[in-house]
């Protein structure tokens, strides 16, 4: 890579991280494309890999996020733990940015559930009088397949929560992370409690 390309790559990483931290972008691909557009970087230039973007988000939040960032991350993790208690029958796992801490204003809690019939999750939310929206999300799985997965979205105070409802086969073939294309890191409630430490309430 030439020096000019290297400089452009560094600029793009920093701008994408800024967009994620400060402007509500949560999708790395979209943030990179927007950063390239703003910087006038040619479409022919290879966009940086997502692991470097994630590292830049963490660095930026450590430098500039301050109490606001720490409070948001704590709120997300506490909300995730409460939701996991509510949804304990569906073997919940916490995934995504609230695990790594690489969050920005647009990030939501990402919980993965196991249910052969997504309607059973919907019934639980109805019974608890929790309003939710239905959607779908495409995931790449560890066995190479792509799956369109039911998604239930609700708000818990200031925190958005997304419930991706997988079937039991995902225990053998978990979804891949959008950051590094490896099986997504997923925390059990016990692992999340350990991560929160004294803040687990």
């Amino acid at each position: 890579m030439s020096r000019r390309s290297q400089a452009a790559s560094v600029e793009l990483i920093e701008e994408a991280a800024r967009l994620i931290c400060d402007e509500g972008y949560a999708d790395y691909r979209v943030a990179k494309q927007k950063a390239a557009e703003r910087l006038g970087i040619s479409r022919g230039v290879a966009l940086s890999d997502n692991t470097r973007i994630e590292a830049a988000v963490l660095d930026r939040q450590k430098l500039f996020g301050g109490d606001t960032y720490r409070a948001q991350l704590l709120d997300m993790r506490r909300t995730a733990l409460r939701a996991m208690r509510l949804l304990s029958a569906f073997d919940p796992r916490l995934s995504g940015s609230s695990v790594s801490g690489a969050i920005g204003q647009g990030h939501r809690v990402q919980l993965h559930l196991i249910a052969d019939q997504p309607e059973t999750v919907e019934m639980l939310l109805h019974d608890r009088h929790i309003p939710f929206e239905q959607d779908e999300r495409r995931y790449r799985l560890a066995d190479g397949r792509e799956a369109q997965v039911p998604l239930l979205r609700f708000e818990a105070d200031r925190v958005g929560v997304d419930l991706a409802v997988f079937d039991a086969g995902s225990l053998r073939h978990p979804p891949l992370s959008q950051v590094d294309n490896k099986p997504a890191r997923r925390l059990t409630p016990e692992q999340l409690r350990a991560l929160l430490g004294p803040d687990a309430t």
Side-chain angles (χ1 to χ4, degrees):
M1 183 184 291
S2 68
R3 286 186 181 179
R4 186 172 180 178
S5 294
Q6 286 179 330
S9 178
V10 170
E11 275 191 291
L12 187 143
I13 290 166
E14 292 176 352
E15 177 63 9
R18 189 190 68 77
L19 290 170
I20 291 167
C21 293
D22 303 338
E23 295 195 19
Y25 287 77
D27 185 292
Y28 280 38
R29 179 182 59 82
V30 174
K32 287 188 293 186
Q33 290 173 343
K34 188 65 176 179
E37 178 186 315
R38 288 193 178 180
L39 295 169
I41 294 175
S42 166
R43 287 181 178 270
V45 174
L47 298 181
S48 301
D49 69 84
N50 290 341
T51 55
R52 297 177 69 190
I53 305 289
E54 181 182 68
V57 169
L58 287 167
D59 287 344
R60 185 176 182 86
Q61 292 292 34
K62 286 175 185 174
L63 285 171
F64 306 118
D67 291 341
T68 301
Y69 161 69
R70 287 187 287 273
Q72 181 190 356
L73 183 58
L74 183 58
D75 278 351
M76 290 179 74
R77 288 174 171 171
R78 282 177 167 171
T79 298
L81 188 57
R82 288 196 295 273
M84 292 168 92
R85 289 174 184 145
L86 173 68
L87 298 158
S88 60
F90 303 104
D91 200 16
R93 299 285 190 274
L94 176 64
S95 187
S97 57
S98 49
V99 174
S100 67
I103 61 165
Q105 295 176 5
H107 281 100
R108 300 169 61 86
V109 167
Q110 304 294 325
L111 293 181
H112 294 178
L113 309 181
I114 301 297
D116 287 327
Q117 295 181 319
E119 295 81 6
T120 56
V121 182
E122 296 172 24
M123 288 169 57
L124 186 148
L125 296 179
H126 276 304
D127 289 346
R128 297 302 180 98
H129 307 290
I130 299 172
F132 64 91
E133 296 178 358
Q134 294 174 288
D135 201 349
E136 290 184 328
R137 180 172 293 160
R138 185 175 295 279
Y139 286 88
R140 290 180 57 236
L141 305 181
D143 62 358
R145 291 181 297 123
E146 289 194 352
Q148 199 76 8
V149 174
L151 191 71
L152 308 176
R153 300 163 64 90
F154 66 90
E155 307 300 316
D157 297 325
R158 297 169 295 175
V159 179
V161 179
D162 291 353
L163 309 177
V165 186
F166 294 85
D167 61 33
S170 72
L171 296 173
R172 296 186 303 276
H173 306 293
L176 301 180
S177 165
Q178 71 157 327
V179 174
D180 59 11
N181 287 318
K182 296 178 180 177
R185 185 180 174 204
R186 302 198 288 182
L187 301 184
T188 65
E190 293 74 20
Q191 289 169 326
L192 178 55
R193 274 193 290 270
L195 181 64
L196 279 164
D199 291 321
T201 57

